[in-house]
Amino acid sequence: LPSPIVVEKDKPVKLVVTRTTEDTCATWLVVPGYDIEEKLPLNVPVEVTFTPTKSGELVYGCAMGQMVSGVILVK
């Protein structure tokens, strides 16, 4: 995913994520605070829908302590 992604507070967001490499620890997408833990199969688009409820930076990333990560900027 690109980083940062800019979204609006209290408006639904749909992310579509496709993992395109085996050479990564990013086989899951984790968004702390939103109970999002989505498995990312190779070359399969995965839709993740949620509504951000707080303004600020929301860090998303892999399940390995977000070694691979990015930011969703909620305005």
Side-chain angles (χ1 to χ4, degrees):
L1 290 174
S3 180
I5 300 168
V6 179
V7 300
E8 292 184 47
K9 179 180 172 245
D10 297 323
K11 294 204 175 179
V13 173
K14 178 169 77 171
L15 304 174
V16 179
V17 183
T18 305
R19 179 170 63 96
T20 59
T21 182
E22 292 272 0
D23 298 327
T24 184
C25 63
T27 57
W28 286 80
L29 175 68
V30 177
V31 183
Y34 287 90
D35 294 325
I36 296 172
E37 293 185 12
E38 290 290 332
K39 186 172 178 134
L40 301 174
L42 186 61
N43 296 318
V44 177
V46 175
E47 290 186 8
V48 177
T49 304
F50 72 104
T51 302
T53 57
K54 297 180 227 169
S55 297
E57 288 188 354
L58 177 59
V59 178
Y60 64 87
C62 71
M64 290 186 66
Q66 297 184 324
M67 221 165 104
V68 175
S69 64
V71 173
I72 299 171
L73 186 57
V74 182
K75 294 188 171 198

Short mmCIF file of all heavy atoms in Angstrom, two decimals:
data_model
loop_
_atom_site.label_atom_id
_atom_site.label_comp_id
_atom_site.label_asym_id
_atom_site.label_seq_id
_atom_site.Cartn_x
_atom_site.Cartn_y
_atom_site.Cartn_z
N LEU A 1 0.83 -1.19 0.00
CA LEU A 1 0.00 0.00 0.00
C LEU A 1 0.87 1.25 0.00
O LEU A 1 1.94 1.25 0.58
CB LEU A 1 -0.86 0.02 1.26
CG LEU A 1 -1.98 -0.99 1.38
CD1 LEU A 1 -2.62 -0.91 2.75
CD2 LEU A 1 -3.02 -0.81 0.33
N PRO A 2 0.38 2.28 -0.61
CA PRO A 2 1.12 3.54 -0.54
C PRO A 2 1.08 4.10 0.88
O PRO A 2 0.23 3.72 1.67
CB PRO A 2 0.36 4.45 -1.51
CG PRO A 2 -0.99 3.85 -1.63
CD PRO A 2 -0.85 2.39 -1.36
N SER A 3 1.98 4.98 1.18
CA SER A 3 1.99 5.58 2.51
C SER A 3 2.47 7.01 2.39
O SER A 3 3.47 7.25 1.72
CB SER A 3 2.93 4.80 3.42
OG SER A 3 2.96 5.35 4.70
N PRO A 4 1.80 7.98 2.97
CA PRO A 4 0.58 7.82 3.74
C PRO A 4 -0.67 7.75 2.84
O PRO A 4 -0.68 8.25 1.73
CB PRO A 4 0.52 9.06 4.61
CG PRO A 4 1.19 10.12 3.79
CD PRO A 4 2.26 9.38 3.01
N ILE A 5 -1.69 7.11 3.37
CA ILE A 5 -3.01 7.11 2.77
C ILE A 5 -3.81 8.13 3.57
O ILE A 5 -3.82 8.07 4.80
CB ILE A 5 -3.68 5.72 2.90
CG1 ILE A 5 -2.84 4.66 2.20
CG2 ILE A 5 -5.10 5.76 2.37
CD1 ILE A 5 -3.28 3.25 2.51
N VAL A 6 -4.47 9.07 2.91
CA VAL A 6 -5.23 10.09 3.61
C VAL A 6 -6.72 9.75 3.52
O VAL A 6 -7.24 9.53 2.41
CB VAL A 6 -4.97 11.50 3.03
CG1 VAL A 6 -5.78 12.55 3.76
CG2 VAL A 6 -3.48 11.83 3.09
N VAL A 7 -7.39 9.66 4.68
CA VAL A 7 -8.81 9.34 4.75
C VAL A 7 -9.49 10.29 5.72
O VAL A 7 -8.83 11.03 6.44
CB VAL A 7 -9.04 7.87 5.18
CG1 VAL A 7 -8.39 6.91 4.20
CG2 VAL A 7 -8.51 7.62 6.58
N GLU A 8 -10.83 10.24 5.76
CA GLU A 8 -11.59 11.11 6.66
C GLU A 8 -12.15 10.32 7.83
O GLU A 8 -12.63 9.19 7.66
CB GLU A 8 -12.73 11.78 5.90
CG GLU A 8 -12.26 12.79 4.88
CD GLU A 8 -13.41 13.51 4.22
OE1 GLU A 8 -14.33 13.95 4.93
OE2 GLU A 8 -13.39 13.61 2.98
N LYS A 9 -12.10 10.93 9.01
CA LYS A 9 -12.64 10.34 10.23
C LYS A 9 -14.14 10.11 10.05
O LYS A 9 -14.84 10.91 9.45
CB LYS A 9 -12.39 11.29 11.41
CG LYS A 9 -12.93 10.83 12.72
CD LYS A 9 -12.60 11.86 13.79
CE LYS A 9 -13.30 11.50 15.07
NZ LYS A 9 -14.30 12.46 15.46
N ASP A 10 -14.63 8.99 10.57
CA ASP A 10 -16.04 8.60 10.58
C ASP A 10 -16.62 8.33 9.20
O ASP A 10 -17.82 8.27 9.03
CB ASP A 10 -16.90 9.65 11.32
CG ASP A 10 -16.50 9.77 12.79
OD1 ASP A 10 -16.17 8.75 13.42
OD2 ASP A 10 -16.51 10.90 13.30
N LYS A 11 -15.76 8.15 8.19
CA LYS A 11 -16.23 7.77 6.85
C LYS A 11 -15.62 6.42 6.51
O LYS A 11 -14.42 6.20 6.68
CB LYS A 11 -15.81 8.81 5.81
CG LYS A 11 -16.51 10.14 6.03
CD LYS A 11 -16.57 10.92 4.78
CE LYS A 11 -17.39 12.18 5.05
NZ LYS A 11 -17.49 13.03 3.90
N PRO A 12 -16.45 5.48 6.02
CA PRO A 12 -15.94 4.14 5.70
C PRO A 12 -14.79 4.19 4.69
O PRO A 12 -14.79 4.99 3.77
CB PRO A 12 -17.16 3.44 5.10
CG PRO A 12 -18.34 4.19 5.62
CD PRO A 12 -17.87 5.62 5.75
N VAL A 13 -13.83 3.29 4.91
CA VAL A 13 -12.65 3.16 4.05
C VAL A 13 -12.59 1.72 3.55
O VAL A 13 -12.80 0.79 4.33
CB VAL A 13 -11.37 3.48 4.85
CG1 VAL A 13 -10.13 3.18 4.03
CG2 VAL A 13 -11.37 4.90 5.34
N LYS A 14 -12.31 1.55 2.26
CA LYS A 14 -12.09 0.21 1.73
C LYS A 14 -10.70 0.18 1.10
O LYS A 14 -10.42 0.93 0.17
CB LYS A 14 -13.14 -0.18 0.70
CG LYS A 14 -12.87 -1.56 0.10
CD LYS A 14 -14.01 -2.09 -0.73
CE LYS A 14 -14.07 -1.45 -2.07
NZ LYS A 14 -15.04 -2.10 -2.98
N LEU A 15 -9.84 -0.66 1.65
CA LEU A 15 -8.51 -0.87 1.10
C LEU A 15 -8.54 -2.17 0.32
O LEU A 15 -9.14 -3.15 0.76
CB LEU A 15 -7.47 -0.98 2.21
CG LEU A 15 -7.39 0.17 3.21
CD1 LEU A 15 -6.41 -0.19 4.32
CD2 LEU A 15 -6.97 1.45 2.53
N VAL A 16 -7.88 -2.21 -0.81
CA VAL A 16 -7.72 -3.45 -1.57
C VAL A 16 -6.22 -3.70 -1.65
O VAL A 16 -5.47 -2.89 -2.21
CB VAL A 16 -8.34 -3.36 -2.98
CG1 VAL A 16 -8.13 -4.67 -3.73
CG2 VAL A 16 -9.83 -3.01 -2.89
N VAL A 17 -5.80 -4.80 -1.05
CA VAL A 17 -4.37 -5.11 -0.92
C VAL A 17 -4.07 -6.41 -1.66
O VAL A 17 -4.77 -7.41 -1.47
CB VAL A 17 -3.99 -5.28 0.57
CG1 VAL A 17 -2.50 -5.52 0.71
CG2 VAL A 17 -4.41 -4.06 1.37
N THR A 18 -3.02 -6.39 -2.49
CA THR A 18 -2.59 -7.60 -3.20
C THR A 18 -1.10 -7.81 -2.92
O THR A 18 -0.27 -6.97 -3.27
CB THR A 18 -2.81 -7.46 -4.72
OG1 THR A 18 -4.18 -7.14 -4.96
CG2 THR A 18 -2.45 -8.76 -5.43
N ARG A 19 -0.78 -8.92 -2.26
CA ARG A 19 0.63 -9.27 -2.05
C ARG A 19 1.15 -9.90 -3.32
O ARG A 19 0.56 -10.84 -3.85
CB ARG A 19 0.76 -10.27 -0.88
CG ARG A 19 2.20 -10.69 -0.64
CD ARG A 19 2.35 -11.48 0.64
NE ARG A 19 1.63 -12.72 0.65
CZ ARG A 19 2.14 -13.91 0.34
NH1 ARG A 19 3.41 -14.01 -0.01
NH2 ARG A 19 1.40 -15.00 0.39
N THR A 20 2.27 -9.39 -3.85
CA THR A 20 2.77 -9.85 -5.14
C THR A 20 4.13 -10.54 -5.06
O THR A 20 4.73 -10.82 -6.10
CB THR A 20 2.87 -8.67 -6.13
OG1 THR A 20 3.74 -7.69 -5.58
CG2 THR A 20 1.50 -8.08 -6.41
N THR A 21 4.61 -10.81 -3.85
CA THR A 21 5.92 -11.47 -3.72
C THR A 21 5.90 -12.48 -2.58
O THR A 21 5.20 -12.30 -1.59
CB THR A 21 7.05 -10.45 -3.49
OG1 THR A 21 8.30 -11.15 -3.42
CG2 THR A 21 6.85 -9.65 -2.22
N GLU A 22 6.68 -13.53 -2.75
CA GLU A 22 6.89 -14.53 -1.69
C GLU A 22 7.95 -14.04 -0.71
O GLU A 22 7.99 -14.46 0.43
CB GLU A 22 7.34 -15.86 -2.29
CG GLU A 22 6.30 -16.57 -3.09
CD GLU A 22 5.41 -17.48 -2.27
OE1 GLU A 22 5.59 -17.57 -1.03
OE2 GLU A 22 4.52 -18.09 -2.87
N ASP A 23 8.84 -13.14 -1.18
CA ASP A 23 9.98 -12.68 -0.40
C ASP A 23 9.60 -11.54 0.55
O ASP A 23 10.09 -10.41 0.42
CB ASP A 23 11.11 -12.22 -1.33
CG ASP A 23 11.62 -13.35 -2.20
OD1 ASP A 23 11.61 -14.50 -1.75
OD2 ASP A 23 12.01 -13.07 -3.35
N THR A 24 8.70 -11.82 1.50
CA THR A 24 8.25 -10.80 2.44
C THR A 24 7.67 -11.45 3.69
O THR A 24 7.21 -12.59 3.64
CB THR A 24 7.19 -9.88 1.80
OG1 THR A 24 6.85 -8.85 2.73
CG2 THR A 24 5.93 -10.64 1.42
N CYS A 25 7.71 -10.72 4.78
CA CYS A 25 7.03 -11.18 5.99
C CYS A 25 5.60 -10.65 6.01
O CYS A 25 4.80 -10.99 6.88
CB CYS A 25 7.77 -10.72 7.25
SG CYS A 25 7.84 -8.92 7.44
N ALA A 26 5.23 -9.83 5.01
CA ALA A 26 3.91 -9.20 4.97
C ALA A 26 2.87 -10.14 4.36
O ALA A 26 2.29 -9.88 3.32
CB ALA A 26 3.98 -7.89 4.20
N THR A 27 2.64 -11.26 5.04
CA THR A 27 1.63 -12.21 4.59
C THR A 27 0.30 -11.98 5.31
O THR A 27 -0.68 -12.65 5.02
CB THR A 27 2.10 -13.66 4.81
OG1 THR A 27 2.41 -13.84 6.19
CG2 THR A 27 3.32 -13.96 3.96
N TRP A 28 0.30 -11.04 6.24
CA TRP A 28 -0.91 -10.59 6.94
C TRP A 28 -0.89 -9.08 6.99
O TRP A 28 0.17 -8.48 7.12
CB TRP A 28 -0.93 -11.11 8.38
CG TRP A 28 -1.24 -12.57 8.50
CD1 TRP A 28 -0.36 -13.60 8.30
CD2 TRP A 28 -2.48 -13.16 8.85
NE1 TRP A 28 -0.99 -14.79 8.50
CE2 TRP A 28 -2.31 -14.56 8.85
CE3 TRP A 28 -3.74 -12.64 9.16
CZ2 TRP A 28 -3.34 -15.44 9.14
CZ3 TRP A 28 -4.76 -13.52 9.46
CH2 TRP A 28 -4.55 -14.90 9.44
N LEU A 29 -2.06 -8.46 6.95
CA LEU A 29 -2.20 -7.03 7.16
C LEU A 29 -2.84 -6.83 8.53
O LEU A 29 -3.90 -7.38 8.81
CB LEU A 29 -3.10 -6.39 6.10
CG LEU A 29 -3.41 -4.90 6.31
CD1 LEU A 29 -2.15 -4.06 6.12
CD2 LEU A 29 -4.50 -4.44 5.39
N VAL A 30 -2.17 -6.05 9.39
CA VAL A 30 -2.64 -5.81 10.75
C VAL A 30 -2.84 -4.31 10.93
O VAL A 30 -1.97 -3.52 10.59
CB VAL A 30 -1.61 -6.34 11.78
CG1 VAL A 30 -2.04 -6.03 13.19
CG2 VAL A 30 -1.39 -7.84 11.59
N VAL A 31 -4.02 -3.94 11.47
CA VAL A 31 -4.30 -2.54 11.81
C VAL A 31 -4.69 -2.53 13.29
O VAL A 31 -5.83 -2.84 13.63
CB VAL A 31 -5.42 -1.93 10.94
CG1 VAL A 31 -5.60 -0.45 11.30
CG2 VAL A 31 -5.11 -2.09 9.46
N PRO A 32 -3.75 -2.22 14.18
CA PRO A 32 -4.03 -2.22 15.61
C PRO A 32 -5.14 -1.23 15.97
O PRO A 32 -5.26 -0.17 15.37
CB PRO A 32 -2.71 -1.79 16.24
CG PRO A 32 -1.67 -2.10 15.22
CD PRO A 32 -2.35 -1.90 13.90
N GLY A 33 -5.94 -1.61 16.94
CA GLY A 33 -7.02 -0.75 17.41
C GLY A 33 -8.31 -0.92 16.63
O GLY A 33 -9.34 -0.37 17.00
N TYR A 34 -8.27 -1.66 15.54
CA TYR A 34 -9.46 -1.88 14.72
C TYR A 34 -9.75 -3.36 14.52
O TYR A 34 -10.58 -3.73 13.69
CB TYR A 34 -9.32 -1.17 13.37
CG TYR A 34 -9.47 0.32 13.52
CD1 TYR A 34 -8.36 1.13 13.76
CD2 TYR A 34 -10.72 0.94 13.47
CE1 TYR A 34 -8.49 2.50 13.93
CE2 TYR A 34 -10.85 2.31 13.65
CZ TYR A 34 -9.73 3.07 13.88
OH TYR A 34 -9.87 4.43 14.05
N ASP A 35 -9.07 -4.22 15.26
CA ASP A 35 -9.26 -5.67 15.16
C ASP A 35 -9.16 -6.18 13.72
O ASP A 35 -9.91 -7.06 13.31
CB ASP A 35 -10.60 -6.10 15.77
CG ASP A 35 -10.64 -5.87 17.27
OD1 ASP A 35 -9.59 -6.04 17.92
OD2 ASP A 35 -11.72 -5.52 17.79
N ILE A 36 -8.22 -5.61 12.97
CA ILE A 36 -8.02 -6.05 11.59
C ILE A 36 -6.76 -6.88 11.52
O ILE A 36 -5.68 -6.41 11.85
CB ILE A 36 -7.93 -4.85 10.63
CG1 ILE A 36 -9.24 -4.07 10.61
CG2 ILE A 36 -7.54 -5.31 9.23
CD1 ILE A 36 -9.19 -2.78 9.84
N GLU A 37 -6.94 -8.13 11.15
CA GLU A 37 -5.84 -9.06 10.88
C GLU A 37 -6.27 -9.90 9.69
O GLU A 37 -7.00 -10.86 9.85
CB GLU A 37 -5.56 -9.94 12.10
CG GLU A 37 -5.00 -9.17 13.27
CD GLU A 37 -4.60 -10.08 14.43
OE1 GLU A 37 -4.54 -11.31 14.26
OE2 GLU A 37 -4.35 -9.54 15.51
N GLU A 38 -5.85 -9.49 8.50
CA GLU A 38 -6.28 -10.14 7.27
C GLU A 38 -5.12 -10.88 6.63
O GLU A 38 -4.06 -10.30 6.39
CB GLU A 38 -6.81 -9.11 6.27
CG GLU A 38 -8.13 -8.50 6.66
CD GLU A 38 -9.29 -9.46 6.56
OE1 GLU A 38 -9.26 -10.41 5.74
OE2 GLU A 38 -10.26 -9.26 7.31
N LYS A 39 -5.33 -12.15 6.32
CA LYS A 39 -4.33 -12.94 5.61
C LYS A 39 -4.24 -12.42 4.18
O LYS A 39 -5.26 -12.11 3.56
CB LYS A 39 -4.73 -14.41 5.62
CG LYS A 39 -3.68 -15.29 5.02
CD LYS A 39 -4.00 -16.75 5.21
CE LYS A 39 -2.92 -17.54 4.52
NZ LYS A 39 -2.41 -18.61 5.30
N LEU A 40 -3.02 -12.32 3.66
CA LEU A 40 -2.77 -11.83 2.31
C LEU A 40 -2.19 -12.95 1.44
O LEU A 40 -0.98 -13.11 1.35
CB LEU A 40 -1.81 -10.64 2.33
CG LEU A 40 -2.26 -9.42 3.14
CD1 LEU A 40 -1.15 -8.38 3.19
CD2 LEU A 40 -3.54 -8.84 2.57
N PRO A 41 -3.05 -13.74 0.82
CA PRO A 41 -2.54 -14.79 -0.07
C PRO A 41 -1.83 -14.17 -1.27
O PRO A 41 -2.14 -13.03 -1.67
CB PRO A 41 -3.80 -15.53 -0.53
CG PRO A 41 -4.95 -14.92 0.15
CD PRO A 41 -4.49 -13.69 0.86
N LEU A 42 -0.90 -14.88 -1.83
CA LEU A 42 -0.11 -14.39 -2.96
C LEU A 42 -1.01 -14.14 -4.17
O LEU A 42 -1.80 -15.01 -4.56
CB LEU A 42 0.98 -15.40 -3.31
CG LEU A 42 1.99 -14.99 -4.37
CD1 LEU A 42 2.78 -13.76 -3.92
CD2 LEU A 42 2.93 -16.13 -4.68
N ASN A 43 -0.91 -12.94 -4.75
CA ASN A 43 -1.59 -12.54 -5.99
C ASN A 43 -3.12 -12.58 -5.91
O ASN A 43 -3.78 -12.75 -6.94
CB ASN A 43 -1.10 -13.38 -7.17
CG ASN A 43 0.36 -13.13 -7.47
OD1 ASN A 43 0.82 -11.99 -7.44
ND2 ASN A 43 1.10 -14.19 -7.71
N VAL A 44 -3.69 -12.43 -4.72
CA VAL A 44 -5.15 -12.41 -4.54
C VAL A 44 -5.53 -11.08 -3.89
O VAL A 44 -5.09 -10.79 -2.78
CB VAL A 44 -5.62 -13.59 -3.65
CG1 VAL A 44 -7.12 -13.49 -3.42
CG2 VAL A 44 -5.24 -14.92 -4.27
N PRO A 45 -6.35 -10.26 -4.55
CA PRO A 45 -6.79 -9.01 -3.94
C PRO A 45 -7.64 -9.28 -2.70
O PRO A 45 -8.54 -10.12 -2.74
CB PRO A 45 -7.64 -8.33 -5.02
CG PRO A 45 -7.29 -9.02 -6.30
CD PRO A 45 -6.87 -10.40 -5.92
N VAL A 46 -7.32 -8.60 -1.60
CA VAL A 46 -8.05 -8.75 -0.35
C VAL A 46 -8.64 -7.40 0.00
O VAL A 46 -7.93 -6.40 0.06
CB VAL A 46 -7.11 -9.24 0.79
CG1 VAL A 46 -7.83 -9.26 2.12
CG2 VAL A 46 -6.54 -10.60 0.45
N GLU A 47 -9.97 -7.36 0.22
CA GLU A 47 -10.64 -6.12 0.60
C GLU A 47 -10.70 -6.01 2.11
O GLU A 47 -11.08 -6.97 2.79
CB GLU A 47 -12.06 -6.07 0.04
CG GLU A 47 -12.09 -5.89 -1.45
CD GLU A 47 -13.50 -5.70 -1.99
OE1 GLU A 47 -14.46 -5.56 -1.19
OE2 GLU A 47 -13.64 -5.70 -3.21
N VAL A 48 -10.32 -4.86 2.63
CA VAL A 48 -10.38 -4.56 4.07
C VAL A 48 -11.21 -3.30 4.22
O VAL A 48 -10.84 -2.25 3.69
CB VAL A 48 -8.97 -4.36 4.66
CG1 VAL A 48 -9.05 -3.99 6.12
CG2 VAL A 48 -8.11 -5.60 4.44
N THR A 49 -12.34 -3.40 4.92
CA THR A 49 -13.23 -2.25 5.10
C THR A 49 -13.35 -1.94 6.58
O THR A 49 -13.53 -2.84 7.40
CB THR A 49 -14.63 -2.56 4.52
OG1 THR A 49 -14.48 -2.93 3.15
CG2 THR A 49 -15.54 -1.36 4.60
N PHE A 50 -13.22 -0.65 6.93
CA PHE A 50 -13.38 -0.21 8.30
C PHE A 50 -13.69 1.28 8.31
O PHE A 50 -13.56 1.96 7.30
CB PHE A 50 -12.14 -0.52 9.16
CG PHE A 50 -10.96 0.34 8.84
CD1 PHE A 50 -10.60 1.39 9.68
CD2 PHE A 50 -10.18 0.12 7.71
CE1 PHE A 50 -9.51 2.20 9.39
CE2 PHE A 50 -9.08 0.91 7.42
CZ PHE A 50 -8.75 1.95 8.26
N THR A 51 -14.13 1.78 9.45
CA THR A 51 -14.41 3.20 9.61
C THR A 51 -13.49 3.77 10.68
O THR A 51 -13.62 3.39 11.85
CB THR A 51 -15.89 3.43 10.00
OG1 THR A 51 -16.72 2.86 8.98
CG2 THR A 51 -16.20 4.92 10.13
N PRO A 52 -12.55 4.65 10.32
CA PRO A 52 -11.67 5.25 11.32
C PRO A 52 -12.46 6.18 12.24
O PRO A 52 -13.23 7.00 11.77
CB PRO A 52 -10.64 6.01 10.50
CG PRO A 52 -11.24 6.18 9.15
CD PRO A 52 -12.27 5.12 8.98
N THR A 53 -12.27 6.01 13.54
CA THR A 53 -13.04 6.77 14.52
C THR A 53 -12.23 7.83 15.25
O THR A 53 -12.79 8.58 16.04
CB THR A 53 -13.68 5.83 15.55
OG1 THR A 53 -12.64 5.05 16.16
CG2 THR A 53 -14.69 4.90 14.90
N LYS A 54 -10.92 7.88 15.00
CA LYS A 54 -10.05 8.87 15.65
C LYS A 54 -9.17 9.54 14.61
O LYS A 54 -8.69 8.88 13.69
CB LYS A 54 -9.15 8.20 16.68
CG LYS A 54 -9.88 7.56 17.83
CD LYS A 54 -8.88 6.92 18.78
CE LYS A 54 -9.34 5.53 19.13
NZ LYS A 54 -8.38 4.75 19.81
N SER A 55 -8.95 10.83 14.76
CA SER A 55 -8.03 11.55 13.87
C SER A 55 -6.59 11.24 14.25
O SER A 55 -6.31 10.85 15.39
CB SER A 55 -8.26 13.06 13.99
OG SER A 55 -9.56 13.39 13.57
N GLY A 56 -5.69 11.40 13.30
CA GLY A 56 -4.27 11.21 13.57
C GLY A 56 -3.67 10.14 12.67
O GLY A 56 -4.26 9.74 11.67
N GLU A 57 -2.49 9.66 13.06
CA GLU A 57 -1.80 8.64 12.28
C GLU A 57 -2.19 7.25 12.78
O GLU A 57 -2.16 6.98 13.97
CB GLU A 57 -0.29 8.81 12.40
CG GLU A 57 0.23 10.00 11.66
CD GLU A 57 1.75 10.05 11.61
OE1 GLU A 57 2.41 9.19 12.26
OE2 GLU A 57 2.28 10.94 10.94
N LEU A 58 -2.52 6.40 11.84
CA LEU A 58 -2.87 5.02 12.13
C LEU A 58 -1.85 4.16 11.38
O LEU A 58 -1.79 4.19 10.15
CB LEU A 58 -4.29 4.74 11.65
CG LEU A 58 -4.85 3.35 11.79
CD1 LEU A 58 -4.84 2.89 13.24
CD2 LEU A 58 -6.27 3.32 11.26
N VAL A 59 -1.00 3.45 12.12
CA VAL A 59 0.05 2.65 11.49
C VAL A 59 -0.50 1.26 11.19
O VAL A 59 -1.13 0.63 12.04
CB VAL A 59 1.29 2.55 12.41
CG1 VAL A 59 2.35 1.67 11.78
CG2 VAL A 59 1.85 3.95 12.67
N TYR A 60 -0.29 0.80 9.96
CA TYR A 60 -0.67 -0.55 9.57
C TYR A 60 0.59 -1.29 9.15
O TYR A 60 1.61 -0.68 8.86
CB TYR A 60 -1.69 -0.53 8.42
CG TYR A 60 -1.15 0.07 7.14
CD1 TYR A 60 -0.47 -0.71 6.22
CD2 TYR A 60 -1.29 1.42 6.87
CE1 TYR A 60 0.04 -0.16 5.05
CE2 TYR A 60 -0.79 1.98 5.71
CZ TYR A 60 -0.13 1.18 4.81
OH TYR A 60 0.38 1.74 3.66
N GLY A 61 0.53 -2.61 9.15
CA GLY A 61 1.70 -3.35 8.71
C GLY A 61 1.56 -4.84 8.82
O GLY A 61 0.45 -5.37 8.95
N CYS A 62 2.69 -5.51 8.78
CA CYS A 62 2.71 -6.97 8.82
C CYS A 62 2.54 -7.45 10.27
O CYS A 62 2.58 -6.67 11.21
CB CYS A 62 4.02 -7.49 8.24
SG CYS A 62 5.47 -7.18 9.28
N ALA A 63 2.35 -8.74 10.40
CA ALA A 63 2.12 -9.33 11.72
C ALA A 63 3.40 -9.50 12.53
O ALA A 63 3.35 -9.82 13.71
CB ALA A 63 1.43 -10.69 11.57
N MET A 64 4.56 -9.24 11.93
CA MET A 64 5.84 -9.37 12.65
C MET A 64 6.23 -8.04 13.28
O MET A 64 7.27 -7.46 12.98
CB MET A 64 6.94 -9.84 11.70
CG MET A 64 6.78 -11.26 11.24
SD MET A 64 8.17 -11.82 10.26
CE MET A 64 9.48 -11.80 11.46
N GLY A 65 5.37 -7.52 14.14
CA GLY A 65 5.68 -6.27 14.82
C GLY A 65 5.70 -5.08 13.87
O GLY A 65 6.38 -4.10 14.11
N GLN A 66 4.99 -5.20 12.77
CA GLN A 66 4.89 -4.16 11.75
C GLN A 66 6.25 -3.78 11.18
O GLN A 66 6.56 -2.61 10.97
CB GLN A 66 4.11 -2.95 12.28
CG GLN A 66 2.68 -3.33 12.60
CD GLN A 66 1.84 -2.17 13.03
OE1 GLN A 66 2.30 -1.26 13.69
NE2 GLN A 66 0.59 -2.21 12.64
N MET A 67 7.07 -4.82 10.96
CA MET A 67 8.38 -4.63 10.33
C MET A 67 8.22 -3.97 8.96
O MET A 67 8.98 -3.08 8.59
CB MET A 67 9.05 -6.00 10.17
CG MET A 67 10.50 -6.01 10.47
SD MET A 67 11.04 -7.71 10.66
CE MET A 67 11.86 -7.93 9.12
N VAL A 68 7.20 -4.40 8.21
CA VAL A 68 6.82 -3.76 6.96
C VAL A 68 5.56 -2.96 7.31
O VAL A 68 4.58 -3.53 7.76
CB VAL A 68 6.49 -4.79 5.86
CG1 VAL A 68 5.98 -4.11 4.61
CG2 VAL A 68 7.71 -5.66 5.57
N SER A 69 5.60 -1.64 7.15
CA SER A 69 4.46 -0.85 7.63
C SER A 69 4.25 0.40 6.79
O SER A 69 5.05 0.75 5.94
CB SER A 69 4.67 -0.45 9.09
OG SER A 69 5.80 0.40 9.21
N GLY A 70 3.13 1.06 7.07
CA GLY A 70 2.79 2.32 6.43
C GLY A 70 1.85 3.09 7.34
O GLY A 70 1.54 2.64 8.45
N VAL A 71 1.38 4.22 6.87
CA VAL A 71 0.56 5.11 7.70
C VAL A 71 -0.72 5.46 6.96
O VAL A 71 -0.70 5.77 5.77
CB VAL A 71 1.35 6.40 8.04
CG1 VAL A 71 0.44 7.40 8.75
CG2 VAL A 71 2.56 6.09 8.88
N ILE A 72 -1.82 5.41 7.71
CA ILE A 72 -3.09 5.96 7.25
C ILE A 72 -3.27 7.25 8.05
O ILE A 72 -3.26 7.23 9.28
CB ILE A 72 -4.26 4.99 7.51
CG1 ILE A 72 -4.04 3.69 6.74
CG2 ILE A 72 -5.59 5.65 7.12
CD1 ILE A 72 -5.01 2.58 7.10
N LEU A 73 -3.38 8.37 7.36
CA LEU A 73 -3.54 9.67 7.99
C LEU A 73 -5.03 9.98 8.02
O LEU A 73 -5.66 10.18 6.98
CB LEU A 73 -2.77 10.73 7.23
CG LEU A 73 -2.71 12.11 7.84
CD1 LEU A 73 -2.11 12.07 9.25
CD2 LEU A 73 -1.90 13.04 6.96
N VAL A 74 -5.61 10.01 9.22
CA VAL A 74 -7.04 10.24 9.39
C VAL A 74 -7.25 11.70 9.75
O VAL A 74 -6.74 12.19 10.75
CB VAL A 74 -7.63 9.32 10.50
CG1 VAL A 74 -9.13 9.54 10.61
CG2 VAL A 74 -7.29 7.86 10.24
N LYS A 75 -8.01 12.42 8.89
CA LYS A 75 -8.27 13.85 9.12
C LYS A 75 -9.70 14.06 9.57
O LYS A 75 -10.58 13.34 9.25
CB LYS A 75 -8.01 14.64 7.85
CG LYS A 75 -6.54 14.61 7.48
CD LYS A 75 -6.29 15.55 6.35
CE LYS A 75 -4.80 15.68 6.14
NZ LYS A 75 -4.42 16.78 5.40
#
